[in-house]
Amino acid sequence: MLLCSSIASYSQSRTQIAAQLSKLINNSSYSDELQYYNNTIDANCNTLTHSFDTFQSVTFTRTEKFARVSSTYRNIPWKNLQSITHEKISTSAVYLFFAEPIVQSRKLTYGNYFKNKYTDGTTERSVRSIQLHIKNTDLLVFETLCYKLKLADSAQNLQAVAPIKTLPQTLFSQKVLPPSKNEAQGIIFDSTTGYKCGPQEWPSYWCKFFKLGAIDISNMGSDEMKAKSLEMQAYWNKYCYSFTTGDWRGITGGSITTLLDINNDTGSSDAFGLIAYRVKGNVNFLNPFNGKNYFDNLYASYGKKEHYVEYEKEEVQREWEYLQSRAKRWGTKSSAYMLQQYKYNAQAHQELIEAILCNTQGEGVFAGLKSNPAQYLLQVYNVGIRNFEEAVFLFESSFKTQISSADKTAFRQNLKYQQVLWD
């Protein structure tokens, strides 16, 4: 289990941060009869070589090693680090994305069974991401150190937003409560049915969603509905948490997300079209049950394709353009990026606090947890509150109760089934 002491809380130099990160990366190397992952990085974290083995079935009962892939990256531009995402298995394939392409030197050494068909070789190409494997138990520390190195190399003197000590005087929830669980689930179910409502034949879940804000759009034309949709922006920005589910699959379509499609031009027909037509809201809130959003899935999908042994250059380029199009259309950012916003951007931090407080009312996703402080703190942690004292203050102020000293000590290190790393 990761402890708060895994990362020193005092101010560290660039050399100290790099030394700690390089040790973690090198120690994540792993091999057995079926797996081989090797990371080699210098003490300054400037040059990384990552190697792994791939396998291929040659008969129904026989698998042979296909190739060992060794990728080297030099002069890693940490100051351009944009986001980090990963595929979580026993040892995670982690992808570091950068603002500009970087050069990858890629060596393929084929297994004995395939030597006659393929020739070993080394190529250079530009990539958008670095792939490496990191132990699951080290992921939280790894991500934190990567962003510390980014800040050190970019010479940004950022100050974390001070934790709140008093609650806001007025809340959106004093006017409109969050949706009930039945209302939220009903809208999510309707988004998959294709049912229509009113003479305009809006998707029925649009009508249900707007009705939560006491707006009846069933008989409205497009222009009137567009104007009314702006009134729903505040509703969505405060209550999107209460449309999330505790399932790893997220809302629908197998994605880890609190994001429901925001389309500024036309009605959306895909499975994420809950808000859909011209309702522009904040789609970057993180899922309280897993700490991720929809964009993490898109990044991981791209990174996996970019680092296939036999990758398709054109397909990878199309995937990148698709990724950028979605980011521009929705304004979405990865969860790693949003965590930095919540920590250092005062407005983003304030909006997050208000959304948590609003969703603690009625049947909101943070409501009803007075007797389960560990679950509350875990959900607050997942959505981006990483200051322990602030999380405790939110719980105690919302439910007018106290967390015992013994529980506080335990919660600093472990929250239910999930590892945590408070700031």
Side-chain angles (χ1 to χ4, degrees), residues 241 285 342 347-356 383-385:
Y241 287 138
F285 286 123
Y342 295 143
Q347 180 178 346
H349 185 86
Q350 180 182 350
E351 290 174 353
L352 176 62
I353 293 293
E354 291 179 357
I356 291 172
V383 300
I385 297 297

Side-chain angles (χ1 to χ4, degrees), residues 237-252:
N237 284 349
K238 294 296 184 289
Y239 294 138
C240 64
Y241 287 138
S242 292
F243 290 95
T244 64
T245 71
D247 191 300
W248 179 253
R249 290 171 58 84
I251 302 297
T252 55

